[in-house]
Amino acid sequence: MTARCVMVLGTTSGAGKSWLTTALCRHYARQGLRVAPFKAQNMSNNARVVAGGEMGSAQYFQSLAANAEPDVRMNPLLLKPEADTRSQVVLMGEVSRELSDMPWRGRSEKVWPHITTALDALRADNDVVVIEGAGSPAEINLHASDIVNMRVARHAQARCLLVTDIDRGGAFAHLYGTWALLPPDERTLIKGFVLNKFRGDASLLAPAPQMLQDLTGVPVVATLPMWWQHGLPEEDGVFDDRTCAAGAVSTTIAVVAYPRISNLDEFQPLKNVPGVRLVWARTPADCAAVDWIILPGSKATAADLAWLRSQGLDQAVTAHAARGGRVLGICGGLQMLGEALIDTQGIEPMDHGNAPGLGLLPLVTAFEAEKTVRRTTATFGRVEGAWSALSGMTASGYEIHHGLTVQHPAMAAKGDVAREVIPGLAWQNIGGHVLGCYLHGLFEEPAVLQALFGARAPTLETVFDGLADFLEQHVEPGVLDELIRKD
């Protein structure tokens, strides 16, 4: 059986492709269909560990919404930015040194066979494949080397929705301009326009939707109201301004937003916990009067540590710790909390690899060529002080890192050691308020949230069903069925 393919394209990045794809996955799965998501190429430092290696976090969540087992075929090419002009290339779940060193435009023909093989295999195994595009399909400077938008649509003969962010203004021009810049054979694949993030009375949009249809032959099939808290992590950016869940604020958490932050999606559950407020810390002032500071993962740990120092945030973090404030380092953040970073093999970009750490944990990290990529389940031993609620907790998550972290030999000889609360994975200082761990996904464990905050976030199942309900409420009747109708 060959699945019907529905594709979500956007007039810009951030138009709403990822969450709309997720909603479609859940909608079709609720019809009793076998559904899989697909995105040929994703550029993101948000990744998850699945069978076969790494895949983009957005496709991971989409697969869960589809009730499907996450699979690297759903995101065959993942680009993880290390600098403005360089990315680590992950092909079918594994890092490819050859592709990482290759010029951008030279990769297309190398990877296209892998993309079509992955997509065709998913089509053979499912009734519906929901495909997400990237950026805009009308980037005419990139059209000749396209492997993620209309080339995929043509290969799958996908029925495409084109979504735009009307809150930014110029939505009808974006839709018309995108459609007009496509070749005629690609225009015919666009079956509907979607207006996303609308505020106000939708009847006031008339007669623009009909005028647009008269120009293009394509109807506006949905006008989606602004929805601040749909519950999914942000795919391309940091938290929005509305980062406080319901109830009075009892805990304010600052997440340090360095340039190469990674795996920020794991903090989404904190946004949904009643009484918790998240803020991004880019200056020392952002760390004032907060209860926690989190140093998240990083795709370029030493370079981001250098940036942190240039902003004066190193002093803000150490001062917060000196006051007894809670500090949590995850993965790259853990490495920064130690005494030193050692890079003898040139693993870290931009020659920043050898550097002193923040000195809040007596640890040292040596970067290694081999990358650790694995799912992990671990149980905390006895945890003291501010993090004692984690004692005995079991958490399942994942590791994605270069580097081996151990006790600093000279400091250990003097008796200055970090308490190893999970062997080889998590340590805390003697005072108990600084904790570092390699395990991503800690806050996705309901029991952990309950232990730390006395409350839980909505489950992913609730989030996915809410997305599908919202879409079904606002899309024109019959449209979703028509998209997968057999010819």
Side-chain angles (χ1 to χ4, degrees), residues 360-381:
L360 294 177
L361 290 173
L363 305 172
V364 60
T365 296
F367 295 114
E368 299 179 330
E370 184 175 353
K371 188 177 186 181
T372 299
V373 179
R374 62 189 173 205
R375 297 286 305 173
T376 302
T377 298
T379 301
F380 283 90

Side-chain angles (χ1 to χ4, degrees), residues 162 171-181 193 212 215-216:
L162 180 61
F172 293 102
H174 285 161
L175 290 169
Y176 178 76
T178 301
W179 176 88
L181 284 172
F193 295 137
L212 183 63
L215 287 167
T216 64

